[in-house]
Amino acid sequence: MTAASRQAAKGTVYLVGAGPGDPDLLTLRAARLLAEADVVFHDDLVPDEVLALVHDHALITSVGKRCGRPRITQQGIHKLLIESAWAGQSVVRLKSGDPLVFGRAGEEIAALRAAGVPFEIVPGVTAALAAGAALELPLTDRKSASKLIFCTGHHAADKTDVAPIWAGPLPDDATLVLYMPGRDTSRIARELAAAGLAADVPCCAISHAARPQQTHVACRLDALVNLTCGAAPLLLLVGRAMESLLKGDTADLFYLAEQTLAAGTQVR
Ligand SMILES: C[S@@+](CC[C@H](N)C(=O)[O-])C[C@H]1O[C@@H](n2cnc3c(N)ncnc32)[C@H](O)[C@@H]1O
């Protein structure tokens, strides 16, 4: 029996990737679990269009930790997942993108294991891959980008020293995808230059990849400090594979592009 042919089991927690926000980019397994689960606990970045796939009788709870709402702790989330499973419900823990990429899934897995709660992980399309598709841009390139690096500009709250984005030299044949870059482009530019990246390396900031409000801006590393990026959720992609976004450009001239998704993508 394949995973897709199984039903959502009572007493089990499913850590499910919601992808970048377009319901068409969910896996079949994710869509099926959303239609079957008794309860769904989701992050802030999961939009209503995805939640619309949840069964009418299911309980949907946001456990997002941003936007000024009273903060739920990570331990609070573990408790909700475990108690719902112990109550005999089928539980979906819905995370944006892929659940195993920058999503604190490790802590949730450890808590579920410690409580003896069965769980399953359902992958999703991570933001970096959605961004590449949305920009129509391969993230690797046979001549210029043989490595793909996913890293984050956001650090654990309990870290006393703020580590640089990258310690030591960065390979010059890599595409670096920076999740949660924050708004401090001058710090990012400084740290990437300190890691050995050349001033003319292309950078692209994409906001709301694969969403109707998607926008992107691009420039060279030495102009990053002046780049006005779109709203969060935002990704910064850096590397020679981004060159086509700046074709015909000079080092200090911004290329600005806004694109709407193909006709037929609708927001309900
Ligand atoms: C907590 S991380 C979760 C990443 C997620 N698990 C994934 O695999 O995409 C949240 C960050 O992912 C990035 N992100 C998520 N969805 C995005 C989107 N549609 N467009 C651009 N960036 C996105 C942003 O950098 C955002 O701050």
Side-chain angles (χ1 to χ4, degrees):
M1 188 161 58
T2 64
S5 66
R6 286 198 305 268
Q7 285 194 321
K10 303 288 180 192
T12 296
V13 174
Y14 297 87
L15 297 173
V16 177
D22 178 346
D24 279 357
L25 295 180
L26 286 166
T27 61
L28 290 176
R29 179 80 178 136
R32 190 173 164 135
L33 286 167
L34 290 178
E36 291 177 356
D38 297 317
V39 286
V40 175
F41 296 107
H42 69 91
D43 285 344
D44 282 323
L45 284 179
V46 178
D48 290 345
E49 297 94 302
V50 170
L51 296 175
L53 301 178
V54 175
H55 193 286
D56 285 348
H57 300 302
L59 181 70
I60 303 177
T61 304
S62 167
V63 290
K65 299 193 213 96
R66 62 177 85 192
C67 297
R69 275 200 293 269
R71 284 174 73 89
I72 180 159
T73 61
Q74 191 60 41
Q75 284 66 32
I77 296 174
H78 300 166
K79 194 164 177 285
L80 286 172
L81 297 178
I82 291 165
E83 287 178 354
S84 303
W86 280 349
Q89 294 175 308
S90 51
V91 183
V92 165
R93 171 70 175 107
L94 191 60
K95 292 169 177 285
S96 74
D98 183 274
L100 303 183
V101 177
F102 303 128
R104 301 188 72 169
E107 292 158 71
E108 292 173 19
I109 289 169
L112 294 170
R113 278 208 179 109
V117 171
F119 65 89
E120 179 185 316
I121 297 162
V122 180
V125 176
T126 190
L129 306 185
L135 294 166
E136 300 176 349
L137 194 75
L139 300 179
T140 58
D141 178 88
R142 230 155 48 86
K143 294 193 187 115
S144 63
S146 60
K147 302 174 183 69
L148 188 52
I149 301 172
F150 293 176
C151 62
T152 172
H154 181 82
H155 302 281
D158 54 1
K159 272 197 182 167
T160 41
D161 293 328
V162 178
I165 292 164
W166 192 264
L170 257 172
D172 60 7
D173 62 345
T175 299
L176 180 84
V177 185
L178 189 61
Y179 286 70
M180 296 169 277
R183 313 300 302 178
D184 190 352
T185 48
S186 104
R187 175 193 154 217
I188 297 170
R190 206 173 48 245
E191 291 186 4
L192 295 182
L197 287 194
D200 67 342
V201 170
C203 307
C204 173
I206 179 165
S207 160
H208 290 91
R211 306 276 298 127
Q213 62 273 52
Q214 173 185 306
T215 59
H216 73 272
V217 285
C219 68
R220 308 226 175 245
L221 182 59
D222 60 358
L224 186 62
V225 59
N226 296 318
L227 196 68
T228 305
C229 303
L234 187 72
L235 271 190
L236 187 68
L237 298 99
V238 180
R240 297 286 174 202
M242 257 24 69
E243 192 63 49
S244 64
L245 295 174
L246 292 160
K247 274 265 162 62
D249 201 4
T250 61
D252 57 358
L253 179 66
F254 292 155
Y255 173 82
L256 167 66
E258 288 204 1
Q259 58 187 79
T260 47
L261 290 179
T265 303
Q266 289 185 354
V267 185
R268 277 179 285 159

